[in-house]
Amino acid sequence: MLAAVTAPLLAVDVRSLEARNSDFSTASSADIPLAPPAQADDQQAAAPTPQSLEDLVAERVANTTGDQQGDCLATSVYFEAKGEPLNGQLAVAQTIMNRAASGRFPASVCGVVRQPGQFSFLHKGSMPTPPRASTAWKRAVAIAMIARDGLWKQVAPDALFFHARRVSPGWGKIKVASLGNHIFFR
């Protein structure tokens, strides 16, 4: 908003300067109007960029994502990958998001998660309730928000499938990553 308001003002200031000084090269520094500190304000308004996934998770620890789809994603992360390293948890969340966006699976996160035969933690299609006071749940919520909002690079690029290392489904799919106890495919 600030940039939109200041841009026309800068143009007016430059035109008035041109009218007063026909040659900018001869203008003294006292004649040149100072640009408003929009860039400095933008830098102050922007949150600092986290240096690691751990930092980003720490900034977003919460009890809920704030919406049903996000909470479905967090529940999936919790039950599928709570004991995994953060990048493994994020890969699970991103894979679910990739499925919802692919056109090959249900278009919502909850639809992807509830699709029959896809997630072993479901009990007859219903989601169990995670312990919402636990640290693992709060971390899963943070991971879900990071994946949903696209705040971190794809950990398993374009993955649409994953399975635990302990199983060997014999898929003819392209392996894109192996993180923690999961292997990711597209």
Side-chain angles (χ1 to χ4, degrees), residues 15-183:
R15 278 188 236 122
S16 65
L17 182 62
E18 286 174 345
R20 284 187 283 139
N21 300 306
S22 58
D23 181 6
F24 274 86
S25 63
T26 61
S28 72
S29 60
D31 293 332
I32 300 173
L34 297 174
Q39 191 173 16
D41 288 346
D42 290 345
Q43 290 171 350
Q44 290 172 356
T49 304
Q51 298 301 309
S52 68
L53 181 55
E54 290 80 11
D55 292 342
L56 197 55
V57 168
E59 291 173 3
R60 283 167 178 71
V61 169
N63 288 325
T64 180
T65 63
D67 64 77
Q68 181 186 18
Q69 297 299 311
D71 284 351
C72 279
L73 187 58
T75 300
S76 301
V77 170
Y78 178 83
F79 285 108
E80 285 290 326
K82 69 179 168 263
E84 297 292 313
L86 292 178
N87 64 349
Q89 291 181 39
L90 183 59
V92 166
Q94 289 172 335
T95 300
I96 294 167
M97 297 294 298
N98 290 346
R99 280 184 166 207
S102 74
R104 295 172 54 189
F105 298 91
S108 72
V109 169
C110 292
V112 165
V113 173
R114 288 191 173 110
Q115 190 176 16
Q118 298 299 307
F119 292 92
S120 60
F121 69 86
L122 293 178
H123 303 290
K124 296 182 182 177
S126 73
M127 288 217 204
T129 303
R132 297 196 183 256
S134 73
T135 301
W137 167 252
K138 292 174 184 176
R139 192 175 309 120
V141 168
I143 288 289
M145 290 189 289
I146 292 165
R148 177 191 64 195
D149 298 339
L151 299 175
W152 198 257
K153 66 185 181 285
Q154 285 274 319
V155 181
D158 302 320
L160 292 174
F161 307 92
F162 64 88
H163 66 75
R165 285 184 191 274
R166 68 181 182 277
V167 298
S168 299
W171 292 338
K173 302 191 182 321
I174 298 169
K175 180 179 170 181
V176 295
S178 181
L179 300 160
N181 290 316
H182 288 94
I183 302 171

